[in-house]
């Protein structure tokens, strides 16, 4: 049957031919995509090639087939092609949309101070977020800047299982997660959000919005403008960035080691953005906004003497002596508990 669909001569030996000679070259010409190896595209992107019509002309005349391709498995480097008679063909080949095109609703993941997932404005609530599918999604968010290796995911989420068992569980829960995120996705359609990559999995950044990623983008842009002296745009962008930081990253996963590094990194980035914003507000004489940012920074860095001192000074400058005294007493309690020593400044040392 395969020989008939490919229009191969009976004497031809298909195993001596490449996918590009059999399929890819013809498909690229018909879809006008330029030279493109389907096998390479599937392995690099992790996404399946949806059904595409292909006109073939061979020893048995012209025929139209439907071609699809998908990676055999995340741990495999083979690609499986499927060719079927195209019953719906009506003449000329049609352009097939990209799996991520067509205005599909984007997935929104909130991770700062709370964890919420929504699709097209509708929340995807449920216990699954605290179970294996949710943990897998959170792990992929932590590794969103690259491919999350299958063996590392398996070791992190199933530490007591054998490598083979853990990888089997991972493949199962990737399927479960995709079903949770896209309950209406057809069985053969590729996932819009969780892409298979060589050796692992990755969230599709073009389709998935993550508040931590947006915080990172805005904070770096705002800090760059601040250093360059572009103060007004820096202030606006940094204010937008710190508004996203509603709390620590993935707070429900306090004991998960794979969260700690990213949590600390985002914590320090938010602190840097707040520190710059305090300076910018003070430069314009906006004492109230500067104090608000300074309070948030002091809450983030409870043992940083310089940060605490700055906030207490701002309270005194605003005439908020009671707030200054409460903050100093809290600081004193913390430093005595942590270091067995008093703060390196006294309240009476501060102006105001």
């Amino acid at each position: 049957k395969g020989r008939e669909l490919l229009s191969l001569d009976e004497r031809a030996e298909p195993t001596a031919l490449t996918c590009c000679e059999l399929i890819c070259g013809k498909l690229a010409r018909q879809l006008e995509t330029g030279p493109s190896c389907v096998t390479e595209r599937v392995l690099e992107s992790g996404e399946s090639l949806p059904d595409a019509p292909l006109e073939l002309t061979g020893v048995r005349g012209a025929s139209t087939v439907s071609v699809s391709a998908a990676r055999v498995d995340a741990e495999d480097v083979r690609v499986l092609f499927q060719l079927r008679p195209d019953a719906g063909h009506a003449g000329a080949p049609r352009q097939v949309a990209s799996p991520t095109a067509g205005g599909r609703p984007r997935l929104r993941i909130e991770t700062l101070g709370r964890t919420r997932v929504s699709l097209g404005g509708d929340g995807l609530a449920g216990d699954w977020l605290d179970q294996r599918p949710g943990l897998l999604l959170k792990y992929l968010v932590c590794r969103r800047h690259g491919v999350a290796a299958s063996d590392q995911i398996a070791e992190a989420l199933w530490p007591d299982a054998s490598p083979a068992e853990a990888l089997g569980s991972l493949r199962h829960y990737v399927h479960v997660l995709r079903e949770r995120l896209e309950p209406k996705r057809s069985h053969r359609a590729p996932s819009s959000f969780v892409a298979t990559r060589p050796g692992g999995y990755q969230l599709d950044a073009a389709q998935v919005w993550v508040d931590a990623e947006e915080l990172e983008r805005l904070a770096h842009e705002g800090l760059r403008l601040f250093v360059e002296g572009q103060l007004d745009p820096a202030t606006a962008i940094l204010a937008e960035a710190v508004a996203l930081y509603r709390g620590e990253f993935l707070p429900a996963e306090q004991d998960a080691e794979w969260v700690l590094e990213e949590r600390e990194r985002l914590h320090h980035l938010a602190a840097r953005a707040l520190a710059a914003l305090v300076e910018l507000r003070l430069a314009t004489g906006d004492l109230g906004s500067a104090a608000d940012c300074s309070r948030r920074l002091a809450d983030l860095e409870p043992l940083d003497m310089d940060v605490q001192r700055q906030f207490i000074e701002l309270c005194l400058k605003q005439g908020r002596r009671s707030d200054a005294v409460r903050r100093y007493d809290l600081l004193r309690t913390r430093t005595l508990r942590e270091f067995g020593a008093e703060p390196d400044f006294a309240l009476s040392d501060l102006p105001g």
Side-chain angles (χ1 to χ4, degrees):
K1 188 66 175 178
R3 286 180 178 274
E4 294 177 6
L5 290 176
L6 288 168
S7 300
L8 285 175
D9 188 284
E10 293 292 342
R11 294 166 294 177
E13 181 51 59
T15 57
L17 302 175
T18 68
C19 64
C20 291
E21 292 172 306
L22 290 170
I23 297 170
C24 309
K26 299 181 180 70
L27 194 62
R29 287 193 295 274
Q30 289 182 189
L31 299 183
E32 298 181 350
T33 59
S36 177
C37 174
V38 173
T39 297
E40 291 180 357
R41 284 169 53 192
V42 170
L43 290 177
E44 289 175 2
S45 69
E47 298 290 347
S48 302
L49 173 75
D51 286 342
L54 178 62
E55 287 190 341
L56 298 172
T57 302
V59 294
R60 289 171 178 78
S63 62
T64 302
V65 299
S66 180
V67 180
S68 64
R71 188 167 182 162
V72 173
D73 186 80
E75 276 62 61
D76 206 322
V77 294
R78 293 175 297 173
V79 170
L80 175 66
F81 285 82
Q82 288 187 315
L83 283 79
R84 296 172 301 281
D86 188 356
H89 177 67
R94 60 189 182 278
Q95 183 75 33
V96 178
S98 165
T100 58
R104 292 186 182 182
R106 295 184 64 179
L107 187 70
R108 182 182 179 91
I109 305 176
E110 298 176 45
T111 62
L112 300 169
R114 62 187 180 186
T115 305
R116 296 203 313 182
V117 180
S118 57
L119 178 62
D122 297 324
L124 300 178
D127 295 340
W128 69 274
L129 265 177
D130 297 317
Q131 298 168 354
R132 293 297 182 184
L135 289 176
L136 174 57
L137 179 63
K138 294 171 186 177
Y139 191 98
L140 293 176
V141 169
C142 282
R143 303 294 186 267
R144 64 190 179 279
H145 295 131
V147 176
S150 295
D151 56 348
Q152 293 178 1
I153 303 173
E155 183 179 356
L157 301 188
W158 294 274
D160 298 325
S162 70
E165 291 173 337
L167 287 173
S169 296
L170 172 60
R171 285 190 287 270
H172 169 71
Y173 281 105
V174 166
H175 172 74
V176 174
L177 175 59
R178 286 168 170 166
E179 291 297 310
R180 289 289 185 180
L181 298 180
E182 301 176 85
K184 297 181 180 179
R185 180 173 64 97
S186 65
H187 177 68
R188 297 183 57 81
S191 172
S192 299
F193 309 128
V194 181
T196 302
R197 304 295 191 211
Y201 301 93
Q202 185 177 27
L203 293 177
D204 187 340
Q207 291 291 328
V208 180
W209 182 92
V210 180
D211 58 354
E213 184 70 13
E214 185 70 358
L215 163 68
E216 186 174 359
R217 183 185 70 80
L218 291 170
H220 284 307
E221 176 67 8
L223 290 169
R224 180 185 66 81
L225 293 171
F226 174 61
V227 170
E228 293 176 355
Q230 301 184 53
L231 305 188
D232 288 341
T235 300
I237 292 175
L238 288 171
E240 190 178 352
V242 300
L244 286 170
Y245 196 78
R246 295 178 298 271
E248 65 182 11
F249 179 68
L250 294 177
E253 308 308 323
Q254 288 297 319
D255 299 327
E257 292 186 6
W258 44 270
V259 176
L260 298 180
E261 182 178 352
E262 182 67 359
R263 180 180 291 150
E264 277 296 299
R265 192 180 70 83
L266 292 168
H267 174 106
H268 289 303
L269 182 59
R272 287 174 57 203
L274 280 165
L277 204 50
V278 171
E279 286 192 42
L280 288 164
R281 299 297 194 193
L282 288 174
T284 61
D286 190 348
L287 203 61
S289 294
D292 289 341
C293 293
S294 183
R295 177 192 56 77
R296 288 194 62 190
L297 181 58
D299 290 341
L300 283 181
E301 305 291 353
L303 295 175
D304 187 314
M305 292 298 109
D306 292 335
V307 167
Q308 298 299 322
R309 178 172 183 146
Q310 182 183 52
F311 175 58
I312 294 170
E313 283 184 359
L314 286 172
C315 288
L316 292 172
K317 287 180 180 179
Q318 290 181 297
R320 296 160 49 195
R321 185 165 183 82
S322 295
D323 290 340
V325 170
R326 279 194 294 270
R327 176 64 67 160
Y328 185 82
D329 287 344
L330 179 59
L331 175 63
R332 183 172 179 272
T333 299
R334 284 172 172 162
T335 55
L336 284 171
R337 182 179 66 241
E338 296 293 331
F339 308 119
E342 299 275 351
D344 61 5
F345 66 93
L347 192 60
S348 57
D349 296 337
L350 304 181

